Amino acid sequence: MNIPLWLDALIAALLLIGAIVATLGSVGLARMPDFYMRLHGPTKACTLGVGCTMLGSLLYFSAAGKGISVQEVLITVFLFVTAPVSAHVMARAALHRRVACSAHTRHPPWPEMDHPPVTPAPANPGEARQGPSAILGEGSDARSRGGS
């Protein structure tokens, strides 16, 4: 197995970068103060750290073997698709269950969730009416229109 020196250095750099980023993501998981911040570290570490490691593995086994290693490509695609989706689902579930934020959070999500969105008031108050009286005129309804 004769791998060129430049490719060997690239593989080593990718593996080293992947290991460093994955380690930083693990430290972020352990040290962040609340769930939302803890969710951020491993998600980024999964997509970037494991992605670099898989790319290094792909290059190594492709250069040493007979062609592109399909297993590493499938693992990388699977991780790049599932990590952001799973983080989004976990964050939405935490918001729904009102998991507590850190005291240092600048914009807690609850005030926006507690109140329905405010719709602007119409310029003409008569436009705000709904139902039959808005269509047929003030004080009238469908039963009083009939000729009987």
Side-chain angles (χ1 to χ4, degrees), residues 115-141:
H115 306 292
V118 177
T119 55
N124 183 1
E127 294 174 4
R129 292 189 204 122
Q130 295 178 355
S133 62
I135 297 170
L136 300 172
E138 187 68 36
S140 64
D141 101 285

Side-chain angles (χ1 to χ4, degrees), residues 17-103:
I17 291 169
I20 289 170
V21 171
T23 303
L24 289 175
S26 300
V27 169
L29 176 65
R31 296 196 50 143
M32 293 291 177
D34 69 358
F35 174 79
Y36 304 103
M37 291 182 201
R38 273 184 247 136
L39 186 62
H40 181 75
T43 304
K44 299 300 176 192
C46 182
T47 54
L48 184 62
V50 176
C52 285
T53 304
M54 284 290 124
L55 187 58
S57 175
L58 171 82
L59 290 174
Y60 176 76
F61 286 111
S62 295
K66 296 180 176 138
I68 294 177
S69 178
V70 179
Q71 292 90 355
E72 281 86 5
V73 172
L74 291 175
I75 292 169
T76 304
V77 167
F78 180 74
L79 285 172
F80 278 22
V81 169
T82 58
V85 171
S86 63
H88 179 74
V89 169
M90 286 189 283
R92 294 285 296 185
L95 285 171
H96 181 72
R97 293 184 50 94
R98 296 182 182 265
V99 174
C101 294
S102 171

